[in-house]
Amino acid sequence: MIRDVLVIGAGAAGSTAAFHLANMGIKVSIVDKEKKEEANIKPCGGGMAASVQKCFPFDLSPAVDEVINRVEFNYKLSDTVVAELPGSAPFWIVRREKLDKLITDQAVALGAEYICPFCVNNITRESGIWNIMSDKGEILSAKIIIIANGSASILPKSIGIGPKNIHYAHTTSIRLKERGNLKEGTTRFEFGLIPYGFAWAFPIKTGINIGIGTFIGNKELNVDEILQKLLPSFGIKNHDIEQERSLLRVWNGHHLLHGDMVLSVGDAASLCDPFLAEGIRPAILSGVNAAKCINQVIKGDIPNLSLYTNLMKIQWGNSMAWGKRISHVFYRFPKVGYQLGIKRPTAPKRIAQILSGEMGYEDIAKRVIKRLLLSK
């Protein structure tokens, strides 16, 4: 059987694409390496702009653990700056395992086929048809393929799409089973403590998701040493944690996100924010745009999927180009960056607008970089 569209991976990006395709009446199948109800906790902080709700006709609140209305910024555990987030629910903390399953279930309810476990280890194209093979030798065929199997995916490079040089952030995700002094509705960002990166703390119902990431260079962090300094700032001494280290593929320049009837979305497309490590919003945005463009190709309105690459460049990539510049300056000179970027009178409002998705990096980047460079 030759399917119309086959999605490899049922994370936020893949499930979003599958939902919208199914909602358009297109026959779509999703393959995933593990069943959603059996999936392990996903190593993701879970911060997400509430503005992504407009991408779905169903309620995302079952996946939301907490609504954030206050952001605290620290430099080396002190010198606190507070940003009050305006509007109703501009920033959400979600459990990725819940969000992914929620969207996948909605896609299946509309007729999407869900095949799992199916771990893809090879992908080929013959006579205009894509064939994917599992590690058990199973083969599925489709006219169009969406690659959505995350940062570790080798598939985009194998077919010649994605960045020429993949850039990774070294990240550690830690789930604490207590909240300490982190107040309800508050999230915290810690700069200066992590070489060439930062730490973030997002509250969840049963504790805190802490993320530690370094965005420049390839040096791995001494996580235990960092936690010995960081955890007491939350009033936590004895900690029961779940920890997972990973390489997070981040945006590293404009590049093709599509090939001949194939495209990549989410982390597999290297869309993660290179400054604040935001990954859920671009994953969902890419899933929506992928479905739109595939629908137009199937209807015969456009000849190929190049529109998808162009849309993501305009709607996300142009902003990330500035985000990358800010990242490279800020994390090399964090003290100066904090003073001139975070502590300025207008900074809390601007930060709130970025976190809520109302503003992109290009709106503020030129002024920020100019101030940073003149102050070195």
Side-chain angles (χ1 to χ4, degrees), residues 91-120:
F91 195 64
W92 287 340
I93 305 299
V94 300
R95 301 260 190 146
R96 273 295 309 279
E97 55 268 28
K98 287 185 178 180
L99 179 68
D100 297 353
K101 186 176 187 304
L102 174 64
I103 303 172
T104 299
D105 287 349
Q106 291 287 334
V108 171
L110 290 174
E113 181 186 24
Y114 184 46
I115 304 169
C116 63
F118 191 103
C119 185
V120 178

Side-chain angles (χ1 to χ4, degrees), residues 221-263:
L221 299 173
N222 187 331
V223 175
D224 292 335
E225 183 179 310
I226 292 169
L227 288 177
Q228 287 177 8
K229 298 177 182 178
L230 184 62
L231 292 182
S233 71
F234 293 99
I236 298 174
K237 295 181 180 179
N238 298 316
H239 53 278
D240 181 12
I241 66 173
E242 298 168 7
Q243 181 179 146
E244 185 165 344
R245 302 188 185 192
S246 61
L247 291 174
L248 179 63
R249 191 182 302 193
V250 299
W251 194 92
N252 194 35
H254 294 302
H255 51 267
L256 288 178
L257 300 177
H258 75 283
D260 189 2
M261 296 299 134
V262 60
L263 49 78

